[in-house]
Amino acid sequence: MRPKEHYELIFDVIPRLYDINSKVFITNLNSIEEQLKSLPLKFCKMYTTRPLSDQLKLYLSNRSGVCLSPCDFHIVEEMQPFMLRLINGRVLEVMMCAGNELGNSLVLLIRRPQDGRLIYFYSAVQQDDLGRLLGQSIFNEWIAGGTDLLFLNLKGAERSFSHVDFDAVAADVVQYGKEHNSGTVVKLPLFGWEHVVRQLALRLPGKVRLMGSYERIYRCLGQDMRRFEDPYYAACVYIYDQSSYVPQPNMVEFPLKRLLWSPLPTRINLIQLCSLLRPDHISGIVQYHDKGNVPPAPTYLQRYRATFKGSSAPADAANESRTQQPAAFVANANASEALNRKTMPTVFPVRRAQICYDGDESDESDL
């Protein structure tokens, strides 16, 4: 997508037409396979971290006619701000931060260096470890100045939230294979689901194996692979890329929906970001394949805006209903008041007697 005020900035979309002035920021690779079904002749400059650039280059290395050079990337160090000069000569300050330990889901912060206020805060996928960001002083410094516009993926904004117990999920994966007397195959999209793979490996050390292209892509994230390659454990869970999986004998496929997790931001994750930033405006992210207008953010998110003013219509209506009574009711009330004036006895006020003393107190003492 492109912000209206800065059209040369592009978020998570690789243009098919080359523009020397375009600056593409890659924060995740969840939809990259669908985007690159047809490849551009030349790639625009892409700003991203080393792990994501390595994953993208490895994925494209198997595509014929693709030649990525180091000049196609601007490698960004996480939590390290850098200056970005626009075609109009103005300068913006940019920082990219990872929302989990793997570093495959980033948030993008862009601010004006003059006053330190964020122009854009962009988050397209689930940020599973916001506490990791809040533990960084530089991140807190950047968000303290306020936020003009918060971009969020609102596709899951109306879905009900349910907590994911990865201990129970790991046990379910193992039990599923035991029930079928076979190994368990988990077919995943090539990008975006690394977090759930790591959670399974933490709970099933040595029992999870990464297979084929999925193992090569996951290795680009630089994580310790020993938990997947321990020879002293017998593997019972096998992770495959769903696009290249070939059915294996003595293997049963675990339903993807039973993992209970997806890269799509949950209601709680959206609320956390909105309540943390208190932006002036909230906007949905326009995906590269979407058409039409993006619906506005739901009310439960809008109320966290710094400029939000709650509707006073319900309160005004209640006050109006109390003050504006029907004419018949008013007439009856006036008649009742007149009748009470006729029937009630007249009460005359009684004045208290005032005692006046002639002379002073010494005269009384002489008596």
Side-chain angles (χ1 to χ4, degrees):
M1 64 166 295
R2 298 174 184 258
K4 294 181 179 179
E5 291 76 12
H6 301 90
Y7 197 72
E8 63 194 283
L9 305 181
I10 305 175
F11 302 154
D12 285 332
V13 176
I14 297 179
R16 295 182 181 178
L17 297 178
Y18 175 75
D19 184 352
I20 192 173
N21 295 316
S22 293
K23 301 166 180 61
V24 180
F25 293 90
I26 304 296
T27 68
N28 69 91
L29 299 176
N30 290 9
S31 62
I32 203 68
E33 294 177 272
E34 187 175 357
Q35 284 194 51
L36 297 181
K37 286 181 178 179
S38 59
L39 297 172
L41 296 178
K42 184 175 176 60
F43 287 86
C44 299
K45 175 75 75 173
M46 292 176 283
Y47 294 75
T48 190
T49 56
R50 177 70 65 183
L52 290 182
S53 67
D54 290 344
Q55 282 190 324
L56 182 57
K57 287 187 288 187
L58 179 60
Y59 171 70
L60 292 176
S61 64
N62 298 324
R63 303 283 296 273
S64 60
V66 178
C67 182
L68 284 176
S69 67
C71 298
D72 294 327
F73 289 95
H74 179 101
I75 302 302
V76 177
E77 296 295 333
E78 185 190 352
M79 296 282 185
Q80 296 295 325
F82 64 95
M83 295 297 180
L84 183 70
R85 184 172 295 277
L86 305 178
I87 56 177
N88 59 8
R90 296 183 179 180
V91 176
L92 298 177
E93 195 172 7
V94 182
M95 184 170 66
M96 304 183 80
C97 310
N100 60 24
E101 291 290 338
L102 291 170
N104 66 320
S105 61
L106 307 176
V107 294
L108 175 65
L109 297 81
I110 301 178
R111 72 176 184 178
R112 293 184 291 264
Q114 295 83 3
D115 57 4
R117 182 175 176 83
L118 283 177
I119 303 176
Y120 306 121
F121 188 105
Y122 175 90
S123 176
V125 291
Q126 175 79 4
Q127 306 301 332
D128 295 282
D129 193 1
L130 286 177
R132 180 176 181 271
L133 294 177
L134 293 175
Q136 303 293 328
S137 59
I138 188 171
F139 180 82
N140 290 293
E141 176 191 345
W142 272 56
I143 66 175
T147 305
D148 288 344
L149 181 55
L150 172 61
F151 286 110
L152 293 174
N153 187 343
L154 300 176
K155 286 189 173 181
E158 300 299 339
R159 297 182 182 179
S160 59
F161 172 77
S162 59
H163 173 69
V164 180
D165 184 355
F166 283 108
D167 292 332
V169 171
D172 187 30
V173 172
V174 175
Q175 183 62 29
Y176 192 82
K178 290 181 179 180
E179 292 175 355
H180 294 80
N181 296 319
S182 60
T184 305
V185 171
V186 181
K187 298 189 304 180
L188 296 176
L190 190 57
F191 300 103
W193 290 71
E194 292 90 341
H195 175 73
V196 74
V197 173
R198 182 174 184 270
Q199 295 302 319
L200 291 177
L202 290 174
R203 289 157 176 82
L204 303 171
K207 297 182 179 181
V208 179
R209 292 288 188 274
L210 305 181
M211 310 301 293
S213 58
Y214 200 94
E215 186 271 338
R216 294 189 292 272
I217 287 293
Y218 189 93
R219 191 180 291 272
C220 293
L221 298 178
Q223 291 295 308
D224 185 4
M225 301 296 293
R226 288 178 296 178
R227 60 174 59 94
F228 300 103
E229 301 170 348
D230 195 334
Y232 298 101
Y233 288 87
C236 61
V237 180
Y238 302 87
I239 310 295
Y240 282 88
D241 170 24
Q242 65 179 11
S243 62
S244 60
Y245 173 72
V246 177
Q248 303 291 325
N250 300 323
M251 294 287 183
V252 61
E253 299 178 14
F254 187 78
L256 185 62
K257 63 181 181 180
R258 290 179 64 169
L259 291 177
L260 307 178
W261 185 91
S262 78
L264 196 66
T266 62
R267 290 171 63 99
I268 296 300
N269 192 231
L270 296 174
I271 291 174
Q272 288 173 335
L273 287 172
C274 292
S275 61
L276 174 66
L277 298 171
R278 301 301 300 269
D280 289 347
H281 304 282
I282 302 173
S283 175
I285 293 174
V286 182
Q287 303 295 335
Y288 77 100
H289 52 75
D290 287 347
K291 296 181 180 179
N293 297 326
V294 178
T299 305
Y300 76 87
L301 294 179
Q302 293 283 1
R303 66 182 181 181
Y304 292 105
R305 292 192 295 112
T307 57
F308 178 74
K309 295 182 180 179
S311 175
S312 59
D316 293 342
N319 294 332
E320 186 177 358
S321 64
R322 287 193 295 266
T323 56
Q324 295 183 357
Q325 303 291 348
F329 179 84
V330 175
N332 292 336
N334 293 337
S336 177
E337 184 178 356
L339 179 62
N340 290 337
R341 285 199 299 268
K342 292 181 180 180
T343 57
M344 291 181 63
T346 303
V347 178
F348 296 96
V350 178
R351 294 184 179 180
R352 292 183 179 180
Q354 296 182 355
I355 301 176
C356 298
Y357 295 95
D358 294 330
D360 53 12
E361 295 180 358
S362 59
D363 296 337
E364 296 180 1
S365 60
D366 294 339
L367 295 177

